Amino acid sequence: MSSTTVLRTLKPGLGDNLLVRDVAASVRFAQGVLGATATYADPDFAVLRAAGSEWMVHADHTYLDNALIGIVKDVEARGAGVELRLYGIDPDTAEQAARDGGWTVLAGAIDKPHGLREAVLIDDDGYVWVPGTAIPKN
């Protein structure tokens, strides 16, 4: 399936696109930690799906002629101040997978007062991912 064909399957709604240094590394994190499926992946671009959400990653070099590249050039941690939240992903499982894979666990899985159990994880590009599930009512 071509990237053009895959892009035509994207669901209506908010679309997230992350600029990354290495698409394959981003796919490994998404699959190994977040349980995502790569609908399409090549060295330039990938479409990922998990927990009813979908997002894209593009390699930096694909944006060389795009004005956005100036914003991320030489920025070590990308998406500063943005939390990429995936509801319905077990934070304990994701935390352990992140530890096993050598990714940064900023905050381990914990029950939060707002009713979610969450972990805060950082991928290779510095994006902050927060997998979470609802805390069952007693």
Side-chain angles (χ1 to χ4, degrees), residues 29 33-35 50-53 55 83-96 107-112 114-121 128-136:
F29 176 86
V33 175
L34 304 172
S53 297
W55 65 98
E83 293 178 333
L84 300 165
R85 293 178 163 265
L86 273 176
Y87 303 109
I89 302 293
D90 182 334
D92 295 280
T93 302
E95 175 191 350
Q96 190 58 56
I110 187 170
D111 291 351
K112 299 288 194 145
H114 55 257
L116 295 176
R117 183 166 180 79
E118 302 172 341
V120 181
L121 314 172
V128 175
W129 294 87
V130 183
T133 55
I135 300 168

Side-chain angles (χ1 to χ4, degrees), residues 17-22 44 57-79 125 127:
N17 181 44
L18 307 176
L19 295 183
V20 299
R21 292 175 192 91
D22 182 340
D44 297 329
V57 295
H58 277 84
D60 287 345
H61 68 263
T62 66
Y63 268 64
L64 291 179
D65 292 329
N66 186 300
L68 186 59
I69 198 65
I71 294 172
V72 298
K73 185 179 181 198
D74 300 323
V75 174
E76 190 168 322
R78 308 210 177 169
D125 285 289
Y127 289 110

Side-chain angles (χ1 to χ4, degrees), residues 6-60:
V6 171
L7 288 173
R8 289 185 178 127
T9 70
L10 294 176
K11 297 179 282 186
L14 179 65
D16 300 314
N17 181 44
L18 307 176
L19 295 183
V20 299
R21 292 175 192 91
D22 182 340
V23 169
S26 294
V27 170
R28 275 193 302 277
F29 176 86
Q31 290 176 324
V33 175
L34 304 172
T37 300
T39 304
Y40 178 86
D42 67 30
D44 297 329
F45 164 76
V47 174
L48 297 150
R49 291 190 172 126
S53 297
E54 58 190 352
W55 65 98
M56 297 181 287
V57 295
H58 277 84
D60 287 345

